[in-house]
Amino acid sequence: AQSVAQPEDQVNVAEGNPLTVKCTYSVSGNPYLFWYVQYPNRGLQFLLKYITGDNLVKGSYGFEAEFNKSQTSFHLKKPSALVSDSALYFCAVRVRSNDYKLSFGAGTTVTVRA
Amino acid sequence: EPEVTQTPSHQVTQMGQEVILRCVPISNHLYFYWYRQILGQKVEFLVSFYNNEISEKSEIFDDQFSVERPDGSNFTLKIRSTKLEDSAMYFCASSGGTGRDEKLFFGSGTQLSVL
């Protein structure tokens, strides 16, 4: 079975500081990994994805994520957090080519204080 | 950016009643999904739908659940006889394709409360 884990329920950082949201995955094949963000009263929005190639992927709003196969991780990062980055972040994985579903992590609430 | 819209945003119903959750996917998308999130738990896959039929469903999607695309724009989830444990936020999503790298576009959800 495929799964992702987000070990932190909450992450709190000061504005301007680096932000990291952790994600590890467990799959039997090669993973396709995604990050989604949910702002209050909004649906989940796509941030970025890793398919193949360069382990560092860049996405929306200045976010990036690093795929680490040996550590089975796909941590989300932003060098300088903004108050507007405060939201709920979900890591997700899909494996089989005919597998329609995404498996989501439990989510991490990020709070950026001014 | 185009959006997936869901109605209603909140639905309160009595146990045993039928509910229909409605979604309008992005107009040129062909693949449609329902996910749900019980409070404090993970976002869970329910069902995917393509070419007017279910392409995949999870073990959660039992005989009490059904999906339909009644016209060219709406995509509905029906729960025939609601249970207390059906209380959750239900998200509709759509995509233009089913490649493993395809991103999903999600609606803002319907909060279903079963009393």
Side-chain angles (χ1 to χ4, degrees):
Chain A
Q2 60 199 49
S3 68
V4 290
Q6 294 179 243
E8 300 161 317
D9 292 335
Q10 293 194 39
V11 170
N12 299 304
V13 298
E15 189 172 36
N17 282 1
L19 169 62
T20 299
V21 186
K22 295 180 180 177
C23 172
T24 59
Y25 65 90
S26 174
V27 300
S28 56
N30 291 321
Y32 282 5
L33 292 156
F34 302 79
W35 275 101
Y36 284 82
V37 60
Q38 185 179 26
Y39 299 102
N41 301 316
R42 301 288 299 275
L44 283 75
Q45 296 179 33
F46 171 82
L47 272 181
L48 51 78
K49 64 185 179 185
Y50 170 80
I51 305 303
T52 187
D54 195 349
N55 289 342
L56 184 66
V57 294
K58 295 187 184 296
S60 307
Y61 312 122
F63 282 93
E64 58 188 30
E66 185 169 10
F67 173 67
N68 187 317
K69 189 171 183 178
S70 63
Q71 296 185 4
T72 63
S73 66
F74 189 57
H75 300 332
L76 180 71
K77 299 180 181 182
K78 186 170 183 178
S80 179
L82 301 172
V83 172
S84 56
D85 293 328
S86 299
L88 182 56
Y89 291 80
F90 292 96
C91 183
V93 66
R94 174 184 279 164
V95 178
R96 295 192 332 242
S97 60
N98 61 345
D99 188 348
Y100 292 95
K101 65 180 182 287
L102 283 175
S103 295
F104 283 88
T108 299
T109 299
V110 170
T111 302
V112 182
R113 60 186 184 277
Chain B
E1 188 172 67
E3 287 187 342
V4 174
T5 56
Q6 289 185 243
T7 55
S9 57
H10 293 84
Q11 174 90 47
V12 180
T13 190
Q14 295 292 324
M15 190 170 56
Q17 294 296 305
E18 174 184 285
V19 293
I20 297 176
L21 309 183
R22 303 181 190 280
C23 169
V24 178
I26 293 171
S27 61
N28 62 345
H29 283 182
L30 300 175
Y31 300 87
F32 314 111
Y33 311 83
W34 283 100
Y35 286 78
R36 78 174 186 187
Q37 185 178 29
I38 295 171
L39 187 63
Q41 298 185 24
K42 293 184 178 185
V43 175
E44 303 171 293
F45 170 80
L46 292 178
V47 66
S48 60
F49 190 87
Y50 168 70
N51 199 26
N52 284 321
E53 62 182 23
I54 291 172
S55 45
E56 187 175 358
K57 61 182 181 179
S58 70
E59 60 276 9
I60 302 169
F61 195 87
D62 61 22
D63 291 343
Q64 292 300 312
F65 291 87
S66 62
V67 289
E68 191 178 34
R69 189 155 162 81
D71 53 43
S73 60
N74 290 286
F75 178 52
T76 61
L77 174 69
K78 181 193 288 186
I79 307 175
R80 197 162 295 119
S81 178
T82 50
K83 307 183 189 70
L84 295 176
E85 55 265 35
D86 294 328
S87 296
M89 177 72 85
Y90 287 80
F91 294 105
C92 174
S94 69
S95 69
T98 58
R100 287 195 289 163
D101 60 346
E102 191 70 34
K103 70 179 183 183
L104 302 186
F105 291 80
F106 285 84
S108 55
T110 294
Q111 180 66 55
L112 176 65
S113 298
V114 182
L115 306 179

